[in-house]
Structure formats: structure tokens, C-alpha cells
Amino acid sequence: MDFTPTEEQAAARDLAARIFGDLSTHERLTAAGTGSDAELWKALCEAGLPAAVEDIGLLGLVLLLEEQGRTTAQVPFAASCVYGLLAVSAHGSAEQRERLLPAIGDGTVVVTGALPEAAVRVGGSGQLSGVVPVVPWLCDATHVLVADDEHGLWLVRTVDARCDPVELTAPWSAGRLTLDATPGEPLGGRLGERQGGPEAAAAGQGAYDDVLATARTAFAGLQAGVCAGSVTRAVAYTNTREQFGRPLATKQGVQLRAADAYMDTEAIRVTAYEAAWRRDEGLDYATHALTAAWWASEAGHRVVHAGQHLHGGMGADLDHPVHRHFLWGRQLDAYLGCGSEVLQELGALIVGGEGDA
């Protein structure tokens, strides 16, 4: 294993860090409220960062999402890259790749995902019916990747569905997706091919599993950035805030709490790196993605709580920047499965003999 970024990955990461650092400021985040920052999204797309993910792979995307997480930048970067660019690139048909990838890369098409599987049924002519109560970034999306009740993947245009805004703890422009005989486009082939028996069903299951594992890995990378930003803020605060004439950072209890948060953050990061690297190398990574997701949930929960606690009374201020890290960390804690659910999946995969070595 070698997690050292390539020259292209490092260049993309540094560019992302500069753009997020310049534009995702406390003042701009406050002004954005619960919505996304259209100017920031435009800057990222003009810099070619979403399009670059096709070349720098999942590990490259994890590096970029770390930088987003450090600033809690409110753009649908993770969703559009995972459910759009990487999903279509890996499992879309040649026609879908030719039609969608350039538009996803330049930001004119934004994709989000209704995963894990939802109570969505498929009609005989490829029409979808069902309700997905919460879909992050749905209000920003032009398309949504929907998983039906048999793990088939469908691309649905948001203009063809009903999308009602839903407020989450984190400002992710979420919405409620209602499908009522809504036309859907099967990812990877024509409708007849998707309903073509056991082989088609197996292919659909494989695509679903890969997209979900990719999403869990990517959002673990985003959580690593959120946690790193929280720890950085806590360290800065405790080094300048004094109590009885001494900085809070000189107290052993504070040092130990910060050290634990740092180690938890590193665990999230390294497990996300390993899962992403294995996918890019064409290796089995199912258990590694679940491991990264478990750390992102369990450790992420601890880190953002520690970051808020180390700010003392300031951590209770809803307008303080560290509170955004707390909200993002708690939302990511449960997104795509909380720690206990992920652990149960991991155990079943290992016991079933399907996990990778």
C-alpha cells in the first residue's frame, strides 16, 4: 500500500485547499444559511476539480473532500462526484458516459443519491414510484441516482419528480423525493437489459454494492476533514484562551482530550485512504469501505463532541464556526448507516466469507 498522492492528486488537493480557504469563510457560510454557495461551486467547476476526479480516482476525491470538510464548504461536491461522475464512469453505458460525464465535470449537471435502498418500486415500463424522505443536496441536483427495492440503480431527472425542501441539522440543501410513475433511466443499459433475469440482477447488485461502498469511503474522507477542522479550531482556541493566567492548552486534561481527538481523526483518514486506494487499484474493498464508514461514524461522533467541549461556553454558541463542524459530524455519523448498522454489515460480510482479505 502506498497512499502518497501522485503529482496530479497533490496538485488538485492544493488547488482545492486554496479555493475552499479563500471562499468558504465564516462570513460567507453565515450568509448562505442552509443553502449551497453557488459562487463557490462555480469556482470549483471552472478550476476543473469535479472533472479531475475521473483521472485522480477515489483516493484523489478523498483528498479533495478532506479540504472541503475542513471548511464545511456548502457545495454538492461529494454527492455529484460519487453518485454522478464515479457511478456513471464505472457502471454507465457508453452513451451515458459520453452524454453525462462532461456535463457533470463542468457542473451543469449535478447528481445526488437516494441510497441506501429505498421503498421505490419499478413499473413495467421503467416508471418509478415511492417516497425517499430525505435526500441530501436534492435541492441543488438536476439528477438523482435512485436505488429501487431490488437494488437496481436509476437516474431520475429532478424536474420529472416532486422535490420538497427538508431541513437537516447540517446545511445540505436536502429534500424529500416523491416519485409517482416517474420516468427513470437504468444506469448501465436499456430497460430490457435490466430486467433480463439472474445475470442482469447480479450485475445490478454489483453496481449497487460498488456505488454504496464508494459513497461510504468518500464521505468518510469528508468526515476526516470535518474532524480535522474541528481539532484545529480547538487547538487554536485552547492555546489562546487563558484560565487563571495560563492557556487552557497547558492543562493535562485538555491535552489528553485533544490528543484522543487527533488520533481518532487519523484513524478515519487512514481507513478512508486504504479503502479508496484499493478501489483505485482494482482490489476488493468491501470490508475496507465498511471499516472506514465505522470509524467515520463512531470516531467522528467523538471528535466533534470533543471539539465543541474544548471550546467551553463558546462551543454552545450556535453562531460559532466550531458548531458547523459539530452539525456536519453528527449528520455524517448517521449518513449511509450509523456505526452499529455498519458494524452489523461488516460482521455479516466476514462471516459469510464474502469479505476481502
Side-chain angles (χ1 to χ4, degrees):
M1 292 181 291
D2 183 4
F3 304 149
T4 304
T6 64
E7 184 177 343
E8 293 79 7
Q9 289 170 338
R13 178 197 59 197
D14 294 344
L15 177 58
R18 185 163 66 250
I19 294 174
F20 285 127
D22 289 344
L23 294 182
S24 187
T25 62
H26 175 59
E27 293 73 21
R28 288 178 62 87
L29 289 168
T30 300
T34 60
S36 294
D37 188 332
E39 184 179 341
L40 174 56
W41 179 241
K42 180 180 178 181
L44 292 167
C45 294
E46 289 180 345
L49 288 175
V53 171
E54 193 174 0
D55 296 320
I56 63 178
L58 182 54
L59 180 56
L61 176 59
V62 166
L63 295 171
L64 301 184
L65 293 179
E66 276 192 82
E67 300 306 326
Q68 179 186 359
R70 290 179 199 277
T71 60
T72 59
Q74 293 173 198
V75 287
F77 191 79
S80 200
C81 287
V82 169
Y83 302 120
L85 194 139
L86 290 178
V88 173
S89 178
H91 304 290
S93 66
E95 187 277 331
Q96 288 172 332
R97 292 194 296 271
E98 182 179 358
R99 169 167 49 93
L100 293 172
L101 290 181
I104 297 171
D106 65 23
T108 55
V109 167
V110 176
V111 186
T112 189
L115 271 70
E117 73 276 5
V120 173
R121 301 172 304 281
V122 184
S125 56
Q127 294 178 323
L128 308 177
S129 298
V131 176
V132 185
V134 178
V135 180
W137 297 284
L138 182 63
C139 297
D140 296 331
T142 60
H143 293 70
V144 56
L145 186 66
V146 176
D148 64 35
D149 52 4
E150 294 184 0
H151 290 182
L153 295 177
W154 303 79
L155 282 167
V156 175
R157 298 192 309 165
T158 53
V159 294
D160 296 329
R162 179 178 173 180
C163 304
D164 300 309
V166 171
E167 188 173 348
L168 300 181
T169 53
W172 286 359
S173 297
R176 175 187 176 94
L177 179 69
T178 302
L179 305 172
D180 184 9
T182 304
E185 176 184 357
L187 183 66
R190 296 184 300 273
L191 178 62
E193 294 173 344
R194 288 299 305 272
Q195 298 179 339
E199 291 185 2
Q205 180 69 50
Y208 171 86
D209 290 342
D210 179 61
V211 172
L212 181 56
T214 298
R216 282 170 164 162
T217 302
F219 283 100
L222 183 62
Q223 181 76 301
V226 169
C227 291
S230 177
V231 172
T232 297
R233 291 188 182 280
V235 169
Y237 179 81
T238 56
N239 271 285
T240 55
R241 178 72 170 178
E242 291 188 356
Q243 189 179 65
F244 305 119
R246 297 176 58 193
L248 289 173
T250 63
K251 300 182 179 295
Q252 188 178 49
V254 171
Q255 294 172 0
L256 291 173
R257 191 77 187 277
D260 286 343
Y262 172 80
M263 293 306 297
D264 271 338
T265 301
E266 288 300 297
I268 301 170
R269 176 182 289 117
V270 73
T271 52
Y273 282 5
E274 182 177 10
W277 175 84
R278 291 183 67 89
R279 183 186 188 274
D280 290 344
E281 293 295 314
L283 302 172
D284 290 335
Y285 73 109
T287 57
H288 297 79
L290 287 167
T291 301
W294 183 83
W295 275 104
S297 178
E298 295 291 313
H301 178 111
R302 291 194 296 265
V303 172
V304 295
H305 273 265
Q308 198 166 32
H309 291 167
L310 289 172
H311 278 76
M314 294 299 294
D317 183 357
L318 301 185
D319 296 324
H320 196 283
V322 77
H323 190 65
R324 292 194 190 91
H325 294 269
F326 175 78
L327 295 179
W328 277 66
R330 289 309 308 266
Q331 196 69 54
L332 287 165
D333 164 16
Y335 183 52
L336 301 179
C338 67
S340 58
E341 292 172 327
V342 170
L343 191 62
Q344 185 176 10
E345 277 190 59
L346 179 59
L349 194 62
I350 294 173
V351 171
E354 300 177 12
D356 41 279

